Amino acid sequence: IEFLCDEAQKVSKNLVLRKPKLYDLLINIPPGSTKSTIITVMFPAWLWIIDPSLKIISNSYSGDLSTEHSSLSKDIITSDKYRVLFPEVKLRKDKAGKSAYSNTEKGSRSTTSTGGTITGKHAHLIINDDPLSPKQAHSIPMREEANRHTGTLSSRKTDKRVAVTITIMQRLHEDDVSGTILKKRT
């Protein structure tokens, strides 16, 4: 948990200063390791404390899962404790849905799912959390779709030099999203 938080903080330093990113982050750890809770739920709420103007897109293999993560993050932001400690972070009442919401400082959180659309949205941070389910990993077309969608997500960056993508998943197949990312780096 400490390592995940440290890595998230490292990539956020340049992001909030709008300096060139250190790297995109790839996290491969097993299910039940709190990776989604830390990165997809809590990290966006923490980032808005530092820079409420950040725009965030999160993705998962399922629209329901993407919405659940976004909603849990929104629950933190709207909690009494968060509002008392960080009163400057306020959600806009006219843009306060479960899967998409904005704050009064032009920050936003949008969700999509693998194969879904995110047209017209751009982000400083893209969180690609479980872009492929274990069941889908056995299907060549589903793996290819997850890899294509991950490529599409990278085109949604506000500034490719600065915006960060965090991909979090368990390894499911040598040609899953993580495998494709690792092959491109070699």
PDB file of all heavy atoms in Angstrom, residues 48 67 70-75 78 91-102 109-111:
ATOM      1  N   TRP A  48      -7.477  16.362  -6.146  1.00  0.00           N
ATOM      2  CA  TRP A  48      -8.256  17.605  -6.165  1.00  0.00           C
ATOM      3  C   TRP A  48      -7.952  18.499  -4.966  1.00  0.00           C
ATOM      4  O   TRP A  48      -8.190  19.690  -5.021  1.00  0.00           O
ATOM      5  CB  TRP A  48      -9.740  17.304  -6.247  1.00  0.00           C
ATOM      6  CG  TRP A  48     -10.218  17.082  -7.653  1.00  0.00           C
ATOM      7  CD1 TRP A  48      -9.472  17.070  -8.799  1.00  0.00           C
ATOM      8  CD2 TRP A  48     -11.559  16.858  -8.062  1.00  0.00           C
ATOM      9  NE1 TRP A  48     -10.269  16.839  -9.891  1.00  0.00           N
ATOM     10  CE2 TRP A  48     -11.551  16.708  -9.468  1.00  0.00           C
ATOM     11  CE3 TRP A  48     -12.762  16.755  -7.389  1.00  0.00           C
ATOM     12  CZ2 TRP A  48     -12.708  16.480 -10.204  1.00  0.00           C
ATOM     13  CZ3 TRP A  48     -13.919  16.524  -8.120  1.00  0.00           C
ATOM     14  CH2 TRP A  48     -13.890  16.389  -9.512  1.00  0.00           C
ATOM     15  N   THR A  67     -18.482   3.175 -13.026  1.00  0.00           N
ATOM     16  CA  THR A  67     -19.400   4.058 -12.298  1.00  0.00           C
ATOM     17  C   THR A  67     -19.268   3.859 -10.791  1.00  0.00           C
ATOM     18  O   THR A  67     -19.288   4.825 -10.031  1.00  0.00           O
ATOM     19  CB  THR A  67     -20.856   3.819 -12.755  1.00  0.00           C
ATOM     20  OG1 THR A  67     -20.942   4.135 -14.146  1.00  0.00           O
ATOM     21  CG2 THR A  67     -21.839   4.681 -11.979  1.00  0.00           C
ATOM     22  N   SER A  70     -16.137   5.663  -9.585  1.00  0.00           N
ATOM     23  CA  SER A  70     -16.371   7.103  -9.626  1.00  0.00           C
ATOM     24  C   SER A  70     -17.289   7.540  -8.490  1.00  0.00           C
ATOM     25  O   SER A  70     -17.061   8.562  -7.839  1.00  0.00           O
ATOM     26  CB  SER A  70     -16.976   7.474 -10.979  1.00  0.00           C
ATOM     27  OG  SER A  70     -17.294   8.826 -11.040  1.00  0.00           O
ATOM     28  N   SER A  71     -18.324   6.768  -8.258  1.00  0.00           N
ATOM     29  CA  SER A  71     -19.281   7.077  -7.212  1.00  0.00           C
ATOM     30  C   SER A  71     -18.645   6.999  -5.820  1.00  0.00           C
ATOM     31  O   SER A  71     -18.900   7.843  -4.957  1.00  0.00           O
ATOM     32  CB  SER A  71     -20.470   6.119  -7.313  1.00  0.00           C
ATOM     33  OG  SER A  71     -21.458   6.446  -6.384  1.00  0.00           O
ATOM     34  N   LEU A  72     -17.789   5.998  -5.601  1.00  0.00           N
ATOM     35  CA  LEU A  72     -17.088   5.884  -4.314  1.00  0.00           C
ATOM     36  C   LEU A  72     -16.165   7.078  -4.088  1.00  0.00           C
ATOM     37  O   LEU A  72     -16.059   7.593  -2.974  1.00  0.00           O
ATOM     38  CB  LEU A  72     -16.307   4.572  -4.248  1.00  0.00           C
ATOM     39  CG  LEU A  72     -17.148   3.305  -4.100  1.00  0.00           C
ATOM     40  CD1 LEU A  72     -16.287   2.066  -4.327  1.00  0.00           C
ATOM     41  CD2 LEU A  72     -17.835   3.257  -2.749  1.00  0.00           C
ATOM     42  N   SER A  73     -15.506   7.516  -5.155  1.00  0.00           N
ATOM     43  CA  SER A  73     -14.652   8.701  -5.057  1.00  0.00           C
ATOM     44  C   SER A  73     -15.494   9.939  -4.739  1.00  0.00           C
ATOM     45  O   SER A  73     -15.120  10.764  -3.900  1.00  0.00           O
ATOM     46  CB  SER A  73     -13.884   8.880  -6.370  1.00  0.00           C
ATOM     47  OG  SER A  73     -12.882   9.834  -6.252  1.00  0.00           O
ATOM     48  N   LYS A  74     -16.635  10.039  -5.389  1.00  0.00           N
ATOM     49  CA  LYS A  74     -17.546  11.158  -5.131  1.00  0.00           C
ATOM     50  C   LYS A  74     -18.046  11.128  -3.684  1.00  0.00           C
ATOM     51  O   LYS A  74     -18.184  12.164  -3.048  1.00  0.00           O
ATOM     52  CB  LYS A  74     -18.723  11.111  -6.102  1.00  0.00           C
ATOM     53  CG  LYS A  74     -19.690  12.262  -5.944  1.00  0.00           C
ATOM     54  CD  LYS A  74     -20.823  12.132  -6.922  1.00  0.00           C
ATOM     55  CE  LYS A  74     -21.869  13.190  -6.658  1.00  0.00           C
ATOM     56  NZ  LYS A  74     -23.069  12.982  -7.461  1.00  0.00           N
ATOM     57  N   ASP A  75     -18.277   9.920  -3.149  1.00  0.00           N
ATOM     58  CA  ASP A  75     -18.696   9.796  -1.744  1.00  0.00           C
ATOM     59  C   ASP A  75     -17.643  10.380  -0.801  1.00  0.00           C
ATOM     60  O   ASP A  75     -17.980  11.013   0.200  1.00  0.00           O
ATOM     61  CB  ASP A  75     -18.948   8.331  -1.370  1.00  0.00           C
ATOM     62  CG  ASP A  75     -20.213   7.768  -1.986  1.00  0.00           C
ATOM     63  OD1 ASP A  75     -21.045   8.546  -2.500  1.00  0.00           O
ATOM     64  OD2 ASP A  75     -20.361   6.521  -1.964  1.00  0.00           O
ATOM     65  N   THR A  78     -17.764  14.261  -1.127  1.00  0.00           N
ATOM     66  CA  THR A  78     -18.962  14.869  -0.541  1.00  0.00           C
ATOM     67  C   THR A  78     -19.152  14.508   0.933  1.00  0.00           C
ATOM     68  O   THR A  78     -20.135  14.942   1.548  1.00  0.00           O
ATOM     69  CB  THR A  78     -20.232  14.471  -1.328  1.00  0.00           C
ATOM     70  OG1 THR A  78     -20.358  13.051  -1.326  1.00  0.00           O
ATOM     71  CG2 THR A  78     -20.173  15.011  -2.748  1.00  0.00           C
ATOM     72  N   LEU A  91     -18.276  20.412  -5.529  1.00  0.00           N
ATOM     73  CA  LEU A  91     -18.848  19.892  -6.768  1.00  0.00           C
ATOM     74  C   LEU A  91     -19.897  20.860  -7.301  1.00  0.00           C
ATOM     75  O   LEU A  91     -20.604  21.506  -6.525  1.00  0.00           O
ATOM     76  CB  LEU A  91     -19.493  18.525  -6.534  1.00  0.00           C
ATOM     77  CG  LEU A  91     -18.554  17.382  -6.212  1.00  0.00           C
ATOM     78  CD1 LEU A  91     -19.339  16.083  -6.097  1.00  0.00           C
ATOM     79  CD2 LEU A  91     -17.459  17.239  -7.251  1.00  0.00           C
ATOM     80  N   ARG A  92     -19.945  20.958  -8.606  1.00  0.00           N
ATOM     81  CA  ARG A  92     -20.999  21.753  -9.242  1.00  0.00           C
ATOM     82  C   ARG A  92     -22.308  21.000  -9.130  1.00  0.00           C
ATOM     83  O   ARG A  92     -22.364  19.799  -9.399  1.00  0.00           O
ATOM     84  CB  ARG A  92     -20.660  21.985 -10.713  1.00  0.00           C
ATOM     85  CG  ARG A  92     -19.516  22.948 -10.900  1.00  0.00           C
ATOM     86  CD  ARG A  92     -19.195  23.177 -12.341  1.00  0.00           C
ATOM     87  NE  ARG A  92     -20.397  23.451 -13.142  1.00  0.00           N
ATOM     88  CZ  ARG A  92     -20.379  23.784 -14.405  1.00  0.00           C
ATOM     89  NH1 ARG A  92     -19.227  23.913 -15.038  1.00  0.00           N
ATOM     90  NH2 ARG A  92     -21.488  24.010 -15.072  1.00  0.00           N
ATOM     91  N   LYS A  93     -23.344  21.679  -8.754  1.00  0.00           N
ATOM     92  CA  LYS A  93     -24.653  21.032  -8.603  1.00  0.00           C
ATOM     93  C   LYS A  93     -25.237  20.626  -9.945  1.00  0.00           C
ATOM     94  O   LYS A  93     -25.966  19.639 -10.038  1.00  0.00           O
ATOM     95  CB  LYS A  93     -25.602  21.953  -7.849  1.00  0.00           C
ATOM     96  CG  LYS A  93     -25.200  22.109  -6.404  1.00  0.00           C
ATOM     97  CD  LYS A  93     -26.118  23.021  -5.656  1.00  0.00           C
ATOM     98  CE  LYS A  93     -25.584  23.124  -4.230  1.00  0.00           C
ATOM     99  NZ  LYS A  93     -26.218  24.104  -3.436  1.00  0.00           N
ATOM    100  N   ASP A  94     -24.905  21.368 -10.995  1.00  0.00           N
ATOM    101  CA  ASP A  94     -25.451  21.058 -12.311  1.00  0.00           C
ATOM    102  C   ASP A  94     -24.668  19.968 -13.047  1.00  0.00           C
ATOM    103  O   ASP A  94     -25.085  19.513 -14.094  1.00  0.00           O
ATOM    104  CB  ASP A  94     -25.525  22.320 -13.177  1.00  0.00           C
ATOM    105  CG  ASP A  94     -24.162  22.940 -13.445  1.00  0.00           C
ATOM    106  OD1 ASP A  94     -23.266  22.801 -12.584  1.00  0.00           O
ATOM    107  OD2 ASP A  94     -23.999  23.556 -14.502  1.00  0.00           O
ATOM    108  N   LYS A  95     -23.525  19.550 -12.481  1.00  0.00           N
ATOM    109  CA  LYS A  95     -22.715  18.486 -13.091  1.00  0.00           C
ATOM    110  C   LYS A  95     -22.223  17.560 -11.990  1.00  0.00           C
ATOM    111  O   LYS A  95     -21.041  17.503 -11.681  1.00  0.00           O
ATOM    112  CB  LYS A  95     -21.538  19.072 -13.854  1.00  0.00           C
ATOM    113  CG  LYS A  95     -21.936  19.844 -15.086  1.00  0.00           C
ATOM    114  CD  LYS A  95     -20.739  20.240 -15.901  1.00  0.00           C
ATOM    115  CE  LYS A  95     -21.190  20.959 -17.162  1.00  0.00           C
ATOM    116  NZ  LYS A  95     -20.063  21.315 -18.008  1.00  0.00           N
ATOM    117  N   ALA A  96     -23.160  16.835 -11.388  1.00  0.00           N
ATOM    118  CA  ALA A  96     -22.826  16.010 -10.226  1.00  0.00           C
ATOM    119  C   ALA A  96     -23.422  14.610 -10.329  1.00  0.00           C
ATOM    120  O   ALA A  96     -24.034  14.107  -9.400  1.00  0.00           O
ATOM    121  CB  ALA A  96     -23.292  16.704  -8.944  1.00  0.00           C
ATOM    122  N   GLY A  97     -23.242  13.957 -11.497  1.00  0.00           N
ATOM    123  CA  GLY A  97     -23.743  12.598 -11.669  1.00  0.00           C
ATOM    124  C   GLY A  97     -22.826  11.576 -11.010  1.00  0.00           C
ATOM    125  O   GLY A  97     -21.794  11.917 -10.429  1.00  0.00           O
ATOM    126  N   LYS A  98     -23.199  10.320 -11.098  1.00  0.00           N
ATOM    127  CA  LYS A  98     -22.368   9.254 -10.522  1.00  0.00           C
ATOM    128  C   LYS A  98     -21.146   8.959 -11.381  1.00  0.00           C
ATOM    129  O   LYS A  98     -20.066   8.722 -10.870  1.00  0.00           O
ATOM    130  CB  LYS A  98     -23.186   7.971 -10.374  1.00  0.00           C
ATOM    131  CG  LYS A  98     -24.191   8.014  -9.269  1.00  0.00           C
ATOM    132  CD  LYS A  98     -24.888   6.664  -9.163  1.00  0.00           C
ATOM    133  CE  LYS A  98     -25.893   6.684  -8.037  1.00  0.00           C
ATOM    134  NZ  LYS A  98     -26.516   5.381  -7.871  1.00  0.00           N
ATOM    135  N   SER A  99     -21.319   8.959 -12.685  1.00  0.00           N
ATOM    136  CA  SER A  99     -20.220   8.575 -13.573  1.00  0.00           C
ATOM    137  C   SER A  99     -19.498   9.770 -14.183  1.00  0.00           C
ATOM    138  O   SER A  99     -18.458   9.602 -14.812  1.00  0.00           O
ATOM    139  CB  SER A  99     -20.728   7.660 -14.685  1.00  0.00           C
ATOM    140  OG  SER A  99     -21.678   8.333 -15.468  1.00  0.00           O
ATOM    141  N   ALA A 100     -20.033  10.950 -13.991  1.00  0.00           N
ATOM    142  CA  ALA A 100     -19.383  12.159 -14.485  1.00  0.00           C
ATOM    143  C   ALA A 100     -19.788  13.324 -13.601  1.00  0.00           C
ATOM    144  O   ALA A 100     -20.972  13.528 -13.346  1.00  0.00           O
ATOM    145  CB  ALA A 100     -19.784  12.435 -15.932  1.00  0.00           C
ATOM    146  N   TYR A 101     -18.779  14.030 -13.122  1.00  0.00           N
ATOM    147  CA  TYR A 101     -19.052  15.209 -12.303  1.00  0.00           C
ATOM    148  C   TYR A 101     -17.906  16.194 -12.448  1.00  0.00           C
ATOM    149  O   TYR A 101     -16.808  15.846 -12.888  1.00  0.00           O
ATOM    150  CB  TYR A 101     -19.306  14.856 -10.833  1.00  0.00           C
ATOM    151  CG  TYR A 101     -18.355  13.871 -10.212  1.00  0.00           C
ATOM    152  CD1 TYR A 101     -17.172  14.278  -9.613  1.00  0.00           C
ATOM    153  CD2 TYR A 101     -18.655  12.515 -10.198  1.00  0.00           C
ATOM    154  CE1 TYR A 101     -16.310  13.372  -9.034  1.00  0.00           C
ATOM    155  CE2 TYR A 101     -17.798  11.600  -9.613  1.00  0.00           C
ATOM    156  CZ  TYR A 101     -16.625  12.035  -9.025  1.00  0.00           C
ATOM    157  OH  TYR A 101     -15.771  11.124  -8.450  1.00  0.00           O
ATOM    158  N   SER A 102     -18.197  17.436 -12.089  1.00  0.00           N
ATOM    159  CA  SER A 102     -17.209  18.509 -12.185  1.00  0.00           C
ATOM    160  C   SER A 102     -17.213  19.288 -10.877  1.00  0.00           C
ATOM    161  O   SER A 102     -18.195  19.286 -10.142  1.00  0.00           O
ATOM    162  CB  SER A 102     -17.565  19.464 -13.322  1.00  0.00           C
ATOM    163  OG  SER A 102     -17.560  18.792 -14.553  1.00  0.00           O
ATOM    164  N   ARG A 109     -14.347  14.610 -13.497  1.00  0.00           N
ATOM    165  CA  ARG A 109     -14.135  13.168 -13.459  1.00  0.00           C
ATOM    166  C   ARG A 109     -15.146  12.567 -14.416  1.00  0.00           C
ATOM    167  O   ARG A 109     -16.346  12.800 -14.302  1.00  0.00           O
ATOM    168  CB  ARG A 109     -14.356  12.638 -12.039  1.00  0.00           C
ATOM    169  CG  ARG A 109     -14.435  11.116 -11.895  1.00  0.00           C
ATOM    170  CD  ARG A 109     -13.054  10.511 -11.697  1.00  0.00           C
ATOM    171  NE  ARG A 109     -13.064   9.075 -11.654  1.00  0.00           N
ATOM    172  CZ  ARG A 109     -12.831   8.356 -10.565  1.00  0.00           C
ATOM    173  NH1 ARG A 109     -12.601   8.944  -9.408  1.00  0.00           N
ATOM    174  NH2 ARG A 109     -12.798   7.044 -10.633  1.00  0.00           N
ATOM    175  N   SER A 110     -14.663  11.812 -15.403  1.00  0.00           N
ATOM    176  CA  SER A 110     -15.515  11.142 -16.378  1.00  0.00           C
ATOM    177  C   SER A 110     -15.148   9.670 -16.400  1.00  0.00           C
ATOM    178  O   SER A 110     -13.996   9.307 -16.185  1.00  0.00           O
ATOM    179  CB  SER A 110     -15.306  11.719 -17.779  1.00  0.00           C
ATOM    180  OG  SER A 110     -15.578  13.096 -17.800  1.00  0.00           O
ATOM    181  N   THR A 111     -16.126   8.836 -16.692  1.00  0.00           N
ATOM    182  CA  THR A 111     -15.857   7.407 -16.770  1.00  0.00           C
ATOM    183  C   THR A 111     -16.250   6.866 -18.128  1.00  0.00           C
ATOM    184  O   THR A 111     -17.084   7.428 -18.832  1.00  0.00           O
ATOM    185  CB  THR A 111     -16.638   6.626 -15.695  1.00  0.00           C
ATOM    186  OG1 THR A 111     -18.030   6.760 -15.941  1.00  0.00           O
ATOM    187  CG2 THR A 111     -16.308   7.110 -14.303  1.00  0.00           C
TER     188      THR A 111
END
